[in-house]
Amino acid sequence: MYGLIWRVLPGPWASKFIMMVGLLAGGAALLWFFAFPAISPHMPFNDGAVDTSDFGGGEDPAGAPGEDAESTGDELGGDPEADPEAEEGGV
């Protein structure tokens, strides 16, 4: 097929080469901007198996790794002066 296109193009070798590169670039551009976006919704790699709906904007549950212990009232990391058991010696 490429031989047929090479024979059909007019002119000497240099002009045939330039026209062939232009045809290849034009064909690639047509595929890149029109054909591939048209078939993209039908391809299986758009279906993800990982649920990413909670990323960005979702609230973290209490005690999540990003929260500090004081804001959740956790006994392990709170203020010892505010803990009544710490003043009594704690059990």
Side-chain angles (χ1 to χ4, degrees):
M1 181 174 153
Y2 296 111
L4 175 67
I5 295 171
W6 187 261
R7 286 190 300 269
V8 171
L9 290 174
W13 185 88
S15 65
K16 285 184 179 186
F17 181 76
I18 292 171
M19 285 187 268
M20 186 68 116
V21 169
L23 285 172
L24 288 174
L30 285 174
L31 287 173
W32 188 268
F33 293 112
F34 296 106
F36 295 152
I39 64 171
S40 177
H42 306 291
M43 304 301 335
F45 50 77
N46 287 336
D47 302 331
V50 178
D51 182 22
T52 59
S53 61
D54 291 337
F55 291 137
E59 292 186 25
D60 291 335
E67 281 188 38
D68 59 345
E70 290 180 22
S71 65
T72 59
D74 193 2
E75 295 176 3
L76 298 176
D79 187 14
E81 294 177 8
D83 191 8
E85 290 183 357
E87 292 175 10
E88 297 173 9
V91 175

